[in-house]
């Protein structure tokens, strides 16, 4: 397991947060059994925790965090397109693909490679038929898709 500067308990998972002095470098969805880890005060990891709490209280909250998004040009284009999807709305893999001049399958691959899910909201990308589609590389029901379902319900983009 990667070292985390903080682990935040949420209703849907524990979030492992990695950050250096200047950028958020990764967020990982971990089992709810993973214990919380309080970040050091006045660190970027602490700011992430504060903003995550704001999101949990208000699903329309806009994250303002310095991100380090290392990826291919295609991945970065997809991640930027995802950041433009407002809370409470979704886009299909095909719609994102059209916006970035790509294919739906390639968009799915970029979603799966997203280093900072939730901040870069890959959960807002759904299948063309309106179903959830995959999440974290998993297509079937289970822990991963329950996270996507919770986030979309929280934002009002999916009825419980």
């Amino acid at each position: 397991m990667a070292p985390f500067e903080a682990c935040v308990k949420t209703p849907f998972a524990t979030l492992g947060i990695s950050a250096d002095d200047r950028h958020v470098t990764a967020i990982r969805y971990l089992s709810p059994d993973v214990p919380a880890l309080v970040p050091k005060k006045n660190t970027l990891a602490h700011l992430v925790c504060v903003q995550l709490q704001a999101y949990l209280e208000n699903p329309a909250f806009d994250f303002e965090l310095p991100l380090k998004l290392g990826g291919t040009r295609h991945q970065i284009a997809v991640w930027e397109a995802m950041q433009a999807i407002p809370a409470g709305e979704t886009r299909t893999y095909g719609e994102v693909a059209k916006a970035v001049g790509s294919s739906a399958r390639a968009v799915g691959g970029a979603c799966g490679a997203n280093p900072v899910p939730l901040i870069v909201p890959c959960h807002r990308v759904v299948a063309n038929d309106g179903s959830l589609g995959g999440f974290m590389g998993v297509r079937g029901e289970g822990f991963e898709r329950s996270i996507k379902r919770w986030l979309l319900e929280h934002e009002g983009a999916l009825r419980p």
Side-chain angles (χ1 to χ4, degrees):
M1 182 184 300
F4 297 109
E5 282 66 49
C7 289
V8 178
K9 301 292 258 176
T10 70
F12 53 89
T14 300
L15 298 179
I17 299 163
S18 298
D20 58 28
D21 291 341
R22 297 163 71 187
H23 300 98
V24 179
T25 56
I27 294 179
R28 296 286 175 259
Y29 294 116
L30 307 171
S31 167
D33 299 340
V34 173
L37 172 63
V38 178
K40 293 179 183 175
K41 294 275 186 188
N42 300 319
T43 64
L44 186 51
H46 183 261
L47 178 61
V48 174
C49 293
V50 169
Q51 290 196 19
L52 285 170
Q53 185 60 42
Y55 168 79
L56 292 172
E57 293 172 9
N58 173 12
F61 177 80
D62 285 324
F63 291 96
E64 292 186 24
L65 296 164
L67 305 176
K68 187 172 190 175
L69 299 176
T72 66
R73 284 186 197 181
H74 176 264
Q75 289 170 330
I76 291 170
V78 171
W79 299 335
E80 288 173 349
M82 288 189 296
Q83 286 181 292
I85 304 170
E89 295 183 23
T90 60
R91 300 290 182 273
T92 66
Y93 292 97
E95 289 170 329
V96 175
K98 185 175 181 182
V100 301
S102 182
S103 71
R105 185 174 297 267
V107 168
C111 286
N114 178 6
V116 287
L118 190 59
I119 310 302
V120 174
C122 51
H123 62 277
R124 295 180 188 154
V125 182
V126 298
N128 286 338
D129 65 3
S131 66
L132 288 181
F135 193 62
M136 296 171 55
V138 176
R139 292 184 182 267
E141 290 303 317
F143 171 69
E144 296 83 0
R145 294 240 325 225
S146 71
I147 293 169
K148 185 171 186 172
R149 180 174 281 107
W150 191 95
L151 293 170
L152 291 173
E153 287 176 359
H154 176 63
E155 294 179 359
L158 183 69
R159 301 277 183 225

